[in-house]
Amino acid sequence: MAEKCIPVDKELCSTLSFGNYSFPAEIFYDDLDEYANNFVNWHKQREVEISQILEGEAEVQVLEKKISLKAGDVFLILPHALHMVKKGAGKIARYRTIIFDPVLLYGYKGSYFYEEYYRTFAAQPFYHFADTGKSWEREAAAHLEGLFAGFREVTEHRELCICRHLQQLWLSLCENLSDSSGKVDCSEQEQQRTAVLLNFLHEHYREKFTLDQLAASAHISKGECCRFFKKMVHMTPWEYLLEYRLSRSMELLDKKDLNISEVAEMTGFSTVSYYITEFKKKMGDTPLGYRKNRLK
């Protein structure tokens, strides 16, 4: 079974399509165990994403803002916000998501609904809430449940009912979520720089390269590169590179025709022993043991 990942372009924008032109919306059920290294890779999208944790815990990071969420919690990612999702402290992390083009909310840019109910709210890239017993939270959760039920059931006026729940949910969020819950203290330039650095690592992870080369890709100094990367990604460039190499190696381990030495070489590890050591440290098993368990 192949590990899942989000396909992206050079700007880390998702290349997946959602729904269809006449009704651009779709729902997904995800288990982070199905993703390489138990995380959804860094990406952004042109649509709105609303997700709810179903089981376990997940850690969501939008640019430099990171938050841990548990079962029942809901988070929103607005268009063009660079983000990733990884497993939290528990053994499982399952969640469900609706991804939709915001035109379903406002019709067209410049409309009254765009100006009053979308543009201002979407100025922040990220929101989240939990059901703490407040009436509006219960109401929002009910509309979210109605959304997913609407996609599962084939009924007359199905799409209209979905839009009704979506707009009622959006109204509830606009009325009750403060801007501070989604505040991210970084500029568009910083977001673009983060994408450049991540893309360099994704393109060159098989190779040997220096910190000078990584920094030069974003036209910054080595010191600034380390400081900035740590601020935005919450790990050093080399820590991220190791994580990324391990995740790519997991994809290759599903290919029976590749031996462990070939997998290590193809994912940039200097020696097989170093690859095995780091893999076992991260996954609690050797690459060979991991492969055998996957093939059962």
Side-chain angles (χ1 to χ4, degrees):
M1 182 173 64
E3 301 278 7
K4 293 171 67 174
C5 70
I6 305 296
V8 296
D9 60 22
K10 286 192 173 184
E11 295 181 350
L12 300 188
C13 191
S14 170
T15 56
L16 291 174
S17 57
F18 305 103
N20 53 54
Y21 180 77
S22 61
F23 194 71
E26 195 166 342
I27 62 169
F28 300 87
Y29 289 83
D30 282 302
D31 184 337
L32 287 180
D33 281 337
E34 297 175 357
Y35 284 83
N37 220 0
N38 303 136
F39 79 93
V40 178
N41 50 297
W42 283 96
H43 68 285
K44 54 187 175 181
Q45 65 232 2
R46 298 175 181 85
E47 299 81 10
V48 177
E49 171 182 338
I50 303 179
S51 299
Q52 183 178 41
I53 309 298
L54 297 175
E55 293 182 79
E57 298 177 9
E59 189 175 274
V60 181
Q61 186 172 341
V62 183
L63 300 173
E64 91 283 11
K65 186 179 180 69
K66 182 166 63 173
I67 188 166
S68 294
L69 301 172
K70 62 183 186 303
D73 293 353
V74 178
F75 64 92
L76 290 75
I77 309 291
L78 279 298
H80 309 294
L82 198 59
H83 64 283
M84 61 90 77
V85 184
K86 65 188 297 185
K87 191 183 286 189
K91 294 182 178 179
I92 60 173
R94 299 189 181 100
Y95 61 101
R96 60 183 182 178
T97 301
I98 175 172
I99 297 181
F100 63 94
D101 190 317
V103 296
L104 293 179
L105 293 170
Y106 58 70
Y108 60 91
K109 283 188 175 181
S111 70
Y112 177 84
F113 301 101
Y114 174 81
E115 296 294 338
E116 294 296 322
Y117 294 104
Y118 179 77
R119 189 170 67 87
T120 303
F121 187 75
Q124 297 293 349
F126 176 59
Y127 294 89
H128 65 92
F129 72 92
D131 187 354
T132 62
K134 297 176 182 177
S135 59
W136 81 264
E137 293 169 339
R138 290 196 297 271
E139 180 183 332
H143 287 307
L144 187 60
E145 184 59 46
L147 272 174
F148 284 93
F151 276 94
R152 292 193 301 266
E153 301 166 2
V154 180
T155 59
E156 190 177 10
H157 312 307
R158 172 175 174 267
E159 288 75 15
L160 193 58
C161 289
I162 289 172
C163 283
R164 175 172 61 86
H165 281 296
L166 180 61
Q167 292 183 344
Q168 287 178 321
L169 171 62
W170 196 264
L171 175 59
S172 185
L173 299 179
C174 286
E175 289 177 334
N176 295 283
L177 282 184
S178 64
D179 289 347
S180 61
S181 72
K183 190 174 182 180
V184 173
D185 296 321
C186 72
S187 64
E188 183 177 347
Q189 181 184 22
E190 287 177 314
Q191 178 170 329
Q192 291 172 346
R193 180 187 289 176
T194 304
V196 167
L197 292 171
L198 289 171
N199 188 58
F200 181 93
L201 294 174
H202 296 171
E203 285 193 342
H204 299 280
Y205 74 94
R206 302 179 186 90
E207 311 161 14
K208 289 182 179 179
F209 59 85
T210 66
L211 182 59
D212 279 315
Q213 290 172 304
L214 174 62
S217 71
H219 307 291
I220 54 179
S221 68
K222 290 192 298 183
E224 173 64 9
C225 179
C226 291
R227 183 204 65 78
F228 177 80
F229 197 95
K230 180 80 172 179
K231 172 194 171 187
M232 301 301 293
V233 186
H234 293 267
M235 60 179 74
T236 68
W238 307 123
E239 288 170 339
Y240 180 86
L241 179 62
L242 175 59
E243 291 271 326
Y244 190 74
R245 283 173 169 166
L246 287 171
S247 68
R248 296 311 299 262
S249 79
M250 291 176 201
E251 298 172 24
L252 296 179
L253 287 172
D254 284 325
K255 299 182 179 180
K256 301 178 186 178
D257 57 325
L258 295 176
N259 61 45
I260 302 304
S261 297
E262 289 173 317
V263 171
E265 182 180 358
M266 292 171 68
T267 50
F269 287 92
S270 55
T271 65
V272 179
S273 60
Y274 174 57
Y275 169 53
I276 294 173
T277 298
E278 292 300 325
F279 192 97
K280 189 172 183 179
K281 191 186 301 181
K282 177 68 179 178
M283 302 303 296
D285 200 356
T286 65
L288 186 58
Y290 176 84
R291 169 181 275 173
K292 288 179 178 178
N293 287 329
R294 296 276 294 174
L295 296 176
K296 284 180 180 179

